[in-house]
Amino acid sequence: MMNKAGKWSLITLAIGVFMGALDNGIVTSSLTTLIHTFGVSPSWGAWIITIYTLGLAISVPIIGKLSDRYGRRLLFLIEIGLFGVGSLLVALSPNFTLLLLSRFVQAMGGGGIFILASSYILNTFPKEKQGRALGMIGGMNGIASILGPNLGSFILNLTGSWHWLFIINIPIAILLLIMGSKTIKEEQELVESRLDIAGILVLSCASLSLMYGLTQLKASAAFVLFIVVGAALLGLFIYLEKHAETKGVEPVLPIELLKNRTYRWTLLLAACSGAILASVIFIPSYVEQFLGVDSKLAGYWFTPLAIASGIGAGGGGALIDRKGPTFSLTLSCLVAIVGFALFPIWVTTTWQMVIASCLVGIGFGSMLGAPINILATENSKENKGVALAGASLLRQMGMTIAPTIYAGFLTRSFEQFGNDLQANAQKAGIQLQQGSISQLPQTVDASTMKNAINQIPVPQIRELVQQTLHQTVGRGFNGLFLSAMTVAIIMLVGVFIVRAVRQKAKENASVRSPMTP
C-alpha cells in the first residue's frame, strides 16, 4: 500500500494537473463573450486560445530540463505560482493586449505541471505503484480537457462575468502552494553543469514557429513559412546539442535520447494520443447537429465520456503495473478503434452514442499519462524531465494539428450540400425553384442552416432539405471519426513496433551481459 505521505503528494499533483488542463477548455466557453467585451475580431479573439498553446510549446521543454537541474518540488511550486499570477492578471486585464500577455504567463505556469507531476512519480514512487499513480494523473489531465467547456459555461451562467473563470484559479493555486510545500518531498540528484542557454532559446523559437505554423494550417503560405523556419531552427538546435557537452554545457535534450529507438517511436505514440484526444472535442457538435439534441444540452453528453476516460486512466494504470505499458497501450488502441468505428456504422441515437463515446473514453483515457510516460523514461536515466517534456510536446502538437484535419471533413462535406440537394430532389421527383431555397445561408454551420430551413414555406421541400442536411452532416462526421480511427490504428502499429524494439534491446542486453555462475 502507498504510504500517507505518498497519497497526499499524489492528491496535490493531481489537483495541480487538473487545474492546468482545465483552463483552456474553460476559456473556449467564454470566447464569444471575451471577443465582445474587448471589441476585437473573431480572428484576433482566437489568439486567446492560440497564445496559450504557444506558451505551452515553449514552457514544456524548458521546464523539463530545469526540473532535472533545480528539482521538481521547486519547479512545481514556481509553476503553480506563475499560473495563479497569470490568472489574476487575466482577470484584471484592462485591454486585449494585456489579456494576451497574461494568458502567456498562465501558459508558462501551466505547461510544466503535468510533466513535473509525472516525473515526480517516476522518481519517488515504487515501480509497482507507478502505473496507477500515472494513470490517475493522466486521467485528471484528460477529464479536465473534456469537462472544461461545460464547467466554463456553468460558471459563466452562474456568475454572469467572465472574470470568475480566472479568479477561481487563484484560491486553488494558493491551496496548492501550501499543500505542495508540505507534501512534496523529494531527494533528487541535481545536475551541476552550466545551463545551455543557447539551446533553450533556439528550442523555444523552434517550438513557437512549429506550433504557430500548425495553427495556420488553413493559410497555406503562413503554414509553409513557419513550418520551414521551425524545421530549420530545430536542425540548428540539434547541431548545438551535439556540441554542447564538448563545451562543458549540459544539453537541453541529450542526443542519446534521440538515438534510442524506443524513445523515438514513443514520440510518435505521444503525437497520436494527442490527435485522438483532440477528436472528442467534436462530440457535442455531433450530438447537436447529427442527433438533434438542443444546443444548451449537447455539452452535457460529454459527461459519460469524461467518466469513462477516468475509468480508463485508472484501469490502464493498474494494468500497466501487472502487464506492462505495451500491453496496456495495445488494449487501449483496440478499444478506441472499436469506439470510433461504431460512430459511422452504428450510432443513430443518443444511447448508442453514449456506448460508442464511452469506448473511446476508456481507450484514450488509458493512453494518457501512464504507458507513454513510462516508455519515454525507461532508458532516460537522470533525464526523466527532458524525456517527458519531449513526449508532452509531441502530444501537444498532435492536439494542435488534428482539429484542423478533422474539421476539414465537415467543411468538405458541406461544400457538397448543393449537389446533394439537387441529386436528392431528382430522386424524389421534386423540382427545386431558386426562390424556394434562396434564404439558405452559405455556411458550414449546421445550426444556422437548420434555422433557415424552418423558414422554407413548402413542407415537401423543407423535409427534403432537412434530410439532405442530415446526410451532409453525417458524412462529414463519419469522415472525422474514421480518420480518428485511422490514427488509433497507426498508433496500434507503433505499439507493435515499440514492443519488438524493446524485446530486441532486452535480447541484446542479455547477450552482452557476462555469464553468471
Side-chain angles (χ1 to χ4, degrees), residues 190-462:
L190 302 179
V191 176
E192 297 295 338
S193 56
R194 288 193 295 125
L195 195 60
D196 184 11
I197 302 296
I200 288 175
L201 292 176
V202 173
L203 180 59
S204 298
C205 292
S207 301
L208 183 64
S209 185
L210 288 171
M211 292 297 289
Y212 181 72
L214 293 176
T215 64
Q216 300 297 306
L217 190 58
K218 293 181 181 178
S220 57
F223 168 74
V224 172
L225 173 63
F226 283 97
I227 291 297
V228 169
V229 170
L233 289 172
L234 202 56
L236 175 61
F237 169 73
I238 293 174
Y239 172 80
L240 292 174
E241 296 306 278
K242 285 183 178 179
H243 295 81
E245 292 181 349
T246 61
K247 300 177 181 179
V249 175
E250 180 69 21
V252 179
L253 178 63
I255 299 301
E256 288 74 16
L257 272 178
L258 293 179
K259 289 180 180 179
N260 185 286
R261 290 183 64 198
T262 299
Y263 185 71
R264 293 201 303 269
W265 281 104
T266 300
L267 294 180
L268 172 66
L269 300 183
C272 288
S273 70
I276 290 171
L277 176 58
S279 69
V280 304
I281 66 175
F282 292 91
I283 286 182
S285 298
Y286 175 81
V287 171
E288 178 188 350
Q289 297 178 15
F290 184 72
L291 298 181
V293 175
D294 186 272
S295 59
K296 295 179 180 179
L297 302 175
Y300 293 110
W301 289 94
F302 245 155
T303 305
L305 187 146
I307 294 172
S309 68
I311 294 172
L319 191 62
I320 288 172
D321 292 334
R322 295 171 62 88
K323 296 288 188 178
T326 56
F327 182 89
S328 178
L329 277 176
T330 300
L331 193 59
S332 64
C333 287
L334 290 173
V335 173
I337 289 168
V338 173
F340 284 126
L342 287 178
F343 278 98
I345 66 176
W346 182 60
V347 174
T348 57
T349 63
T350 51
W351 72 266
Q352 291 172 326
M353 185 280 304
V354 168
I355 293 174
S357 65
C358 283
L359 289 174
V360 170
I362 291 171
F364 85 74
S366 56
M367 292 175 189
L368 298 176
I372 292 177
N373 287 347
I374 287 176
L375 288 173
T377 57
E378 65 179 356
N379 294 309
S380 61
K381 300 177 182 177
E382 72 278 4
N383 294 306
K384 285 184 171 60
V386 177
L388 289 170
S392 184
L393 181 60
L394 265 292
R395 184 185 293 113
Q396 187 65 41
M397 287 185 173
M399 291 176 64
T400 301
I401 192 172
T404 304
I405 296 173
Y406 294 146
F409 287 95
L410 301 176
T411 302
R412 288 189 293 273
S413 183
F414 269 94
E415 288 172 353
Q416 298 299 315
F417 176 75
N419 295 334
D420 293 339
L421 186 58
Q422 292 293 341
N424 289 342
Q426 281 187 338
K427 289 180 183 178
I430 297 174
Q431 183 67 36
L432 287 178
Q433 297 179 356
Q434 186 64 30
S436 63
I437 59 172
S438 60
Q439 68 270 44
L440 291 180
Q442 300 298 315
T443 178
V444 296
D445 181 5
S447 299
T448 304
M449 187 79 78
K450 285 180 179 179
N451 292 332
I453 290 172
N454 291 331
Q455 305 303 315
I456 296 176
V458 182
Q460 191 178 20
I461 295 178
R462 184 167 63 245

Side-chain angles (χ1 to χ4, degrees), residues 84-130:
V85 170
S87 298
L88 178 61
L89 292 175
V90 172
L92 298 177
S93 295
N95 57 57
F96 191 68
T97 301
L98 288 178
L99 177 75
L100 292 183
L101 291 174
S102 302
R103 285 285 289 164
F104 187 79
V105 173
Q106 259 195 318
M108 295 301 289
I113 295 175
F114 180 71
I115 301 166
L116 293 168
S118 302
S119 182
Y120 179 85
I121 289 169
L122 288 165
N123 276 273
T124 60
F125 280 55
K127 193 172 182 64
E128 66 275 8
K129 301 294 183 183
Q130 290 177 1

